[in-house]
Every structure is written in C-alpha cells, then in structure tokens.
Amino acid sequence: MLPEIYHAHHTMHLEDLPFWLELADMAGDPILELGCGTGRVLLSMAKVGHHCVGLDNDPAMLAYLQQGVGSITPTPLLVVEDMCRFNLHRQFSLVILPCNTFSTLSEAQQLSCLACVYEHLKPGGFFAFSIPNSQVLLSLPARAGVEYEEAFTHPQTGNPVQVSSSYHRTKKLFRLTWYYDELHPDGRVDRFTALAAHYLLPTQAYLDKLRQVGLVVNAQYGDFDRSEFVDESPCLICIASR
Ligand SMILES: C[S@@+](CC[C@H](N)C(=O)[O-])C[C@H]1O[C@@H](n2cnc3c(N)ncnc32)[C@H](O)[C@@H]1O
C-alpha cells in the first residue's frame, strides 16, 4: 500500500478518534499502538501530550509517519516489528490495535499477538482492539462487484482519486479489494489496488483468546459511541486488562 494514498484515504475517517483518545486519557502513559500505519491515531494521541510507541511491520508506512512527527513532544518512538512476535523490553499502561487490523491475522497469529500484548502490559494495564463485526459480514451476499465509495485529492499531484471497492466472501474469509483511481488532467487513469482479508470468527472466539492468554475482558462495544455490542453492530470493540 502506498502510504500517502493510505493516509489521504483513511484520514477521511476519524470517527473512532474520540474513543481512542478517551481510552488513552483513562489508561495513562505510556501507550503502544500495534499496526500504527501512517499515524492517524498515534499522532492524535501524541499531539495532546501522550507518550506513545508505534509499531508496524511496514517500513514505508513508518517512514511516512516519521515525516508527520515533526516537532511533536513527547516525540513518539517508532519501531519496525511484527505485532505477532515482538519484544520491546518494556511495559505499557495501554496497548491499542485500531482500524480492523486484528481480524486480518490468522487465529494462530492472533494468539501469538495477544501473548506479546500480555507481556507488554503493566499489571492493571489495558488492551483494546476494533474489528468489523463478522456477523454482519457473514450476512452479506457472497460477492459484490466494484462500487464507488468516495473521492479525495492526491496529496502530491493534486489530482482527484476515486475510491471504489469489491469483495468476495466465503464462510471463513472476507476478501476486500480497494481500487484507487487517480484521474490525470489528460484523461489518463492510474489505478492502485490494495487487498485486505478478514477472518470471519465468532465474537466468542476473540473473547476466548483474550482469556486464554490471561487477560480479563472488561467491555465489548458495537460502535465507537460505546453502544452495546449486538449481532447487527458495525464493529466489535473489546477492552481487556491484565
Ligand atoms: C489498516 S492499517 C491501520 C493503521 C492505523 N492503526 C490507523 O488506524 O490508521 C493496518 C496497519 O497494520 C500494519 N500491519 C499489518 N500486519 C502487521 C503485523 N503483523 N505486524 C505489524 N504491523 C502490521 C500494516 O502495515 C498497516 O500499517
């Protein structure tokens, strides 16, 4: 994924930020964000004074984020690591995994990620993730053709970029393809595609894994307004503690 395209697209969607900021204020510092990407969430927390570490396995995403860090203090620390196998030799008051990334890991990877999370939490520290609600994805037709979603301005060229998506769903996996079409003034179109595959596990499977590594499940929400999780909720947001 091109970091500048990812960032321009995803910073159009900031409805989850108040939730993460409130959690950060409640749990305190230091904070570790797994899969921090270009810093959509991390920079928002750092800008209001939180001590943050951002972890991602894509050096290009972190290089883009590093440019955005500028003179923010306290300066966030960025590390290139796999969230399923990391040891930072320190513990955090809060570990977060936002933006639908946890469900892209296989069950074995999820367990190994959670074991790392446990080791990196202070006693009493909190862990939270947000993923799409599998029940809702399972209720959709098995596939959908390309549909227009929205548009943004290319941050470097100033050209419009149209975003569309298609998906293919089985009983176990939801494969989503994003198409980014940059429209040049001479009529040329450059297409970038990005793939994301979400494992469609029951909610209980996530709760069981949290407990399996020794975490205590504190809350499950169905949206970022902290509404109750129900079968029709758009997402599953879990908060657990060590
Ligand atoms: C959907 S983006 C989310 C970025 C950011 N958290 C946000 O809210 O905008 C997912 C990020 O997770 C990273 N990622 C995916 N699998 C990973 C892994 N196994 N270890 C570390 N980072 C990973 C990707 O490189 C990408 O930057």
Side-chain angles (χ1 to χ4, degrees):
M1 181 72 179
L2 292 173
E4 61 275 17
I5 298 286
Y6 174 87
H7 194 71
H9 181 202
H10 282 75
T11 47
M12 293 174 78
H13 300 280
L14 303 175
E15 52 281 353
D16 58 335
L17 288 193
F19 173 86
W20 299 116
L21 285 168
E22 199 179 302
L23 199 58
D25 290 342
M26 182 274 291
D29 294 348
I31 298 167
L32 171 64
E33 182 181 351
L34 302 177
C36 62
T38 56
R40 192 182 62 89
V41 179
L42 187 101
L43 287 181
S44 313
M45 296 189 301
K47 278 177 185 165
V48 295
H50 286 294
H51 291 256
C52 301
V53 175
L55 180 153
D56 204 287
N57 65 354
D58 185 339
M61 297 292 260
L62 290 187
Y64 185 93
L65 167 52
Q66 190 64 58
Q67 289 170 17
V69 164
S71 56
I72 294 173
T73 50
T75 309
L77 178 70
L78 307 181
V79 290
V80 182
E81 291 283 355
D82 182 347
M83 69 173 80
C84 309
R85 259 179 82 133
F86 64 96
N87 187 354
L88 305 180
H89 302 285
R90 59 186 288 202
Q91 290 184 316
F92 296 83
S93 300
L94 174 65
V95 178
I96 63 169
L97 182 37
C99 203
N100 305 332
T101 308
F102 195 43
S103 51
T104 65
L105 304 178
S106 69
E107 290 212 71
Q109 288 174 319
Q110 288 176 7
L111 252 189
S112 131
C113 173
L114 291 177
C116 292
V117 166
Y118 184 88
E119 292 303 324
H120 286 77
L121 279 178
K122 292 180 181 178
F126 291 93
F127 169 62
F129 67 81
S130 65
I131 57 173
N133 181 356
S134 297
Q135 291 313 306
V136 170
L137 298 183
L138 280 165
S139 70
L140 296 175
R143 60 172 71 234
V146 181
E147 278 184 26
Y148 173 81
E149 302 246 348
E150 56 200 347
F152 60 85
T153 302
H154 194 292
Q156 287 157 347
T157 63
N159 293 328
V161 180
Q162 285 187 353
V163 186
S164 42
S165 68
S166 66
Y167 72 80
H168 177 215
R169 179 187 65 72
T170 63
K171 283 183 182 155
K172 295 197 167 161
L173 210 55
F174 187 85
R175 295 174 201 273
L176 183 62
T177 306
W178 294 102
Y179 307 91
Y180 296 96
D181 291 322
E182 180 181 359
L183 313 178
H184 291 269
D186 61 4
R188 210 163 31 91
V189 178
D190 277 336
R191 171 166 279 195
F192 311 94
T193 54
L195 305 172
H198 295 276
Y199 289 90
L200 298 174
L201 301 171
T203 304
Q204 193 60 43
Y206 288 101
L207 305 181
D208 288 347
K209 283 195 204 74
L210 289 166
R211 294 184 179 117
Q212 196 176 331
V213 300
L215 292 168
V216 175
V217 178
N218 303 121
Q220 294 150 250
Y221 301 115
D223 210 342
F224 293 101
D225 59 4
R226 293 185 181 244
S227 50
E228 185 191 351
F229 178 80
V230 291
D231 284 352
E232 302 76 30
S233 296
C235 29
L236 169 65
I237 303 162
C238 284
I239 303 180
S241 58
R242 175 168 173 173

